[in-house]
Every structure is written in C-alpha cells, then in structure tokens.
Amino acid sequence: MKNKFITLAALSGLFTVAFGAIASHALSAQLSPKALGWIDIGIKYQMFHTIALLALGLFQVANFVQNPPACRAKAFNIIGGGWALGILLFSGNLYLRALDIPTIHWFTPIGGLCFMFGWTALIYISVRSR
C-alpha cells in the first residue's frame, strides 16, 4: 500500500542524513560557524518532523482497515502537509542561507508557522475525535 507520508519521511530522512554528513565533513572548513549553526538547526527541525511524518504515515497504515471517516483523512493531509511545508520552508531556507544562496529570509518564520499549524491540527483532531 502506498502512503505519501511514509514516502515523504523516507526521502526527508535520506536527505537529512546525507546533507548532515556533507555539511559536517565537506563543508565544515568552508562555512562560518554561523552558517554551520543554521544547518544544524535546520537538520534538527527536519529530522524531528521527518519522524513525525513517519509516525503519521504508520498511524494511517495501522488504521486503514477501520475505514476512518473522510474528515480524518483530510485532517491527516492538513497535519502532514503543514509539517512537510514547514520542512521545505524552514529547514530548506536555513540550508540556502548557510550556503549563501539568495533566498527570501521571511520563508523561515513562515515555515515555523507551518510546523506549528501541523501540530495545532493534530491537537484539534486528537481532542475532537471519538
């Protein structure tokens, strides 16, 4: 069975480990401590939310046989979408800044808001579910 959140988590986890290794070995001598700090923050937030996406995907797989209501599937998409967009905007923007690639700096706080939106949606569905 295909699950987009498990796939996203796998891709994100692979990128996180690979980019972390590249940053710590190949780029550490070329980047400033501030830039390495941005990469470190981005990697931490990306990995936390990668694990959350994986858990969300596994929860969907485990509950697939129960045929959950359509509103729950929509809520999962909102939660996972918020986290995935947060990874892209928050962590991705920090990586670009660290590598001195021109970017729009206010994408970072918008990504943080996406993370919080996903967590808020999870709180909402947890409180509202039967």
Side-chain angles (χ1 to χ4, degrees), residues 23-24 27-42 98:
S24 68
L27 298 176
S28 63
Q30 299 167 346
L31 297 176
S32 69
K34 186 175 187 177
L36 290 172
W38 286 336
I39 290 174
D40 185 52
I41 291 169

Side-chain angles (χ1 to χ4, degrees), residues 82 85-86 89-90 104-116:
L85 189 58
L89 294 177
F90 183 87
I104 300 171
H105 294 306
W106 49 267
F107 279 175
T108 306
I110 290 174
L113 289 173
C114 290
F115 285 147
M116 290 188 278

Side-chain angles (χ1 to χ4, degrees), residues 2-129:
K2 294 181 182 178
N3 185 293
K4 63 185 163 199
F5 296 125
I6 294 175
T7 303
L8 282 172
L11 291 170
S12 181
L14 173 65
F15 177 83
T16 304
V17 172
F19 189 67
I22 290 168
S24 68
H25 297 292
L27 298 176
S28 63
Q30 299 167 346
L31 297 176
S32 69
K34 186 175 187 177
L36 290 172
W38 286 336
I39 290 174
D40 185 52
I41 291 169
I43 285 174
K44 285 179 184 172
Y45 275 76
Q46 183 172 357
M47 187 52 80
F48 295 149
H49 288 88
T50 295
I51 293 167
L53 280 172
L54 179 61
L56 186 67
L58 292 174
F59 182 77
Q60 279 186 312
V61 169
N63 288 300
F64 180 73
V65 294
Q66 294 180 358
N67 195 16
C71 61
R72 184 173 296 164
K74 185 175 182 179
F76 286 157
N77 288 332
I78 291 170
I79 294 164
W83 291 339
L85 189 58
I87 288 171
L88 183 67
L89 294 177
F90 183 87
S91 296
N93 203 45
L94 286 176
Y95 302 150
L96 293 175
R97 287 180 73 185
L99 297 173
D100 206 23
I101 297 172
T103 184
I104 300 171
H105 294 306
W106 49 267
F107 279 175
T108 306
I110 290 174
L113 289 173
C114 290
F115 285 147
M116 290 188 278
F117 180 74
W119 289 109
T120 302
L122 179 60
I123 293 167
Y124 179 78
I125 192 175
S126 298
V127 170
R128 297 282 302 178
S129 66

